[in-house]
Amino acid sequence: MGTVRKRLLAPVIAGILGVAWIGPAAFASYTVLHPERLRMDAAGMGEPVQIPGADGVSLAGRWHPVAKPLGTVILLHGYGQDKTQMMPAAHFLRQARFNTLAYDARAHGDSAGTMTTVGSIETQDLSKVLDWLTVKGVHTNVGALGYSMGAATAIYCAARDPRLSAVAIEGCFSTLDRLLGVAFPVFFHLPSFPYGPLSVRLTEWQAGISVARQRP
């Protein structure tokens, strides 16, 4: 009887340890890809616009043209924020005679979409935003100002889309896997190992991206 109990106890303990490992990692992965939406009043940021993203996702933006502009700046907010994070920069740029376009990244603010990829698909969205500006006749002297995730998005897009002629960034992460490793103990109060690596793999599986390749 004792031998039978020992045989049953081993898989039970293994199951408990597995849940204790997989559960927090899965929760962290889901949380990273599905940030809580922040919706602030953007009334002072210009005309409301809806811009189709890379896969038809509607991006909620604010377009503010100025008289005799020197150029146009696309404003890209950080992870978990919305376009109002860029309001001070928008005001400054308009005073300096630049058109401004700020929009909520997918799965943020008032934009559609249920999942963020922290810069990967968002890069394709930015190219669609450039398409939208081109249709409006804005196709020269277009730059981007991005914070954090928005900074990574701007870098990725500038590397592949020549229509983006200038980039200014702040607070950009170096690699996404390193960012997730650092963020794990801060936001989830658990050690990066052994939870971090599994969380990264689950994030890749859910988002269909390679975290290791996200290196702005």
Side-chain angles (χ1 to χ4, degrees):
M1 202 59 186
T3 302
V4 173
R5 286 179 179 175
K6 288 180 180 179
R7 288 177 179 174
L8 292 174
L9 190 59
V12 169
I13 292 174
I16 292 172
L17 293 174
V19 170
W21 178 45
I22 296 172
F27 173 76
S29 172
Y30 181 88
T31 302
V32 166
L33 296 173
H34 302 83
E36 184 177 350
R37 286 181 183 266
L38 178 68
R39 290 185 172 95
M40 303 290 285
D41 182 9
M45 298 189 72
E47 169 196 353
V49 295
Q50 294 291 327
I51 303 172
D55 49 5
V57 165
S58 182
L59 304 173
R62 290 277 179 161
W63 166 241
H64 199 304
V66 299
K68 298 181 180 179
L70 298 175
T72 300
V73 181
I74 304 169
L75 302 169
L76 305 166
H77 65 78
Y79 175 85
Q81 298 291 322
D82 73 350
K83 55 186 171 289
T84 61
Q85 184 187 28
M86 311 304 292
M87 191 177 290
H91 176 72
F92 171 81
L93 287 163
R94 289 196 299 270
Q95 293 290 104
R97 289 176 47 205
F98 285 88
N99 300 326
T100 59
L101 173 62
Y103 68 93
D104 295 330
R106 62 173 57 223
H108 288 74
D110 295 315
S111 288
T114 58
M115 183 171 66
T116 180
T117 59
V118 200
S120 180
I121 297 178
E122 288 78 6
T123 302
Q124 300 171 43
D125 289 337
L126 180 50
S127 283
K128 289 295 184 180
V129 170
L130 289 166
D131 290 345
W132 184 86
L133 284 172
T134 300
V135 170
K136 293 186 73 68
V138 179
H139 46 74
T140 59
N141 294 339
V142 179
L145 169 62
Y147 295 160
S148 185
M149 180 182 74
T153 301
I155 291 172
Y156 293 147
C157 187
R160 67 174 66 175
D161 197 322
R163 292 175 298 176
L164 199 58
S165 58
V167 166
I169 63 168
E170 182 176 337
C172 186
F173 55 88
S174 57
T175 66
L176 185 54
D177 54 353
R178 181 177 296 176
L179 172 66
L180 293 175
V182 171
F184 207 93
V186 174
F187 291 103
F188 303 105
H189 308 293
L190 290 168
S192 295
F193 186 84
Y195 298 101
L198 178 59
S199 179
V200 168
R201 299 291 83 77
L202 291 172
T203 298
E204 291 179 319
W205 174 69
Q206 290 183 78
I209 62 172
S210 169
V211 169
R213 292 182 180 177
Q214 306 308 306
R215 304 174 65 87

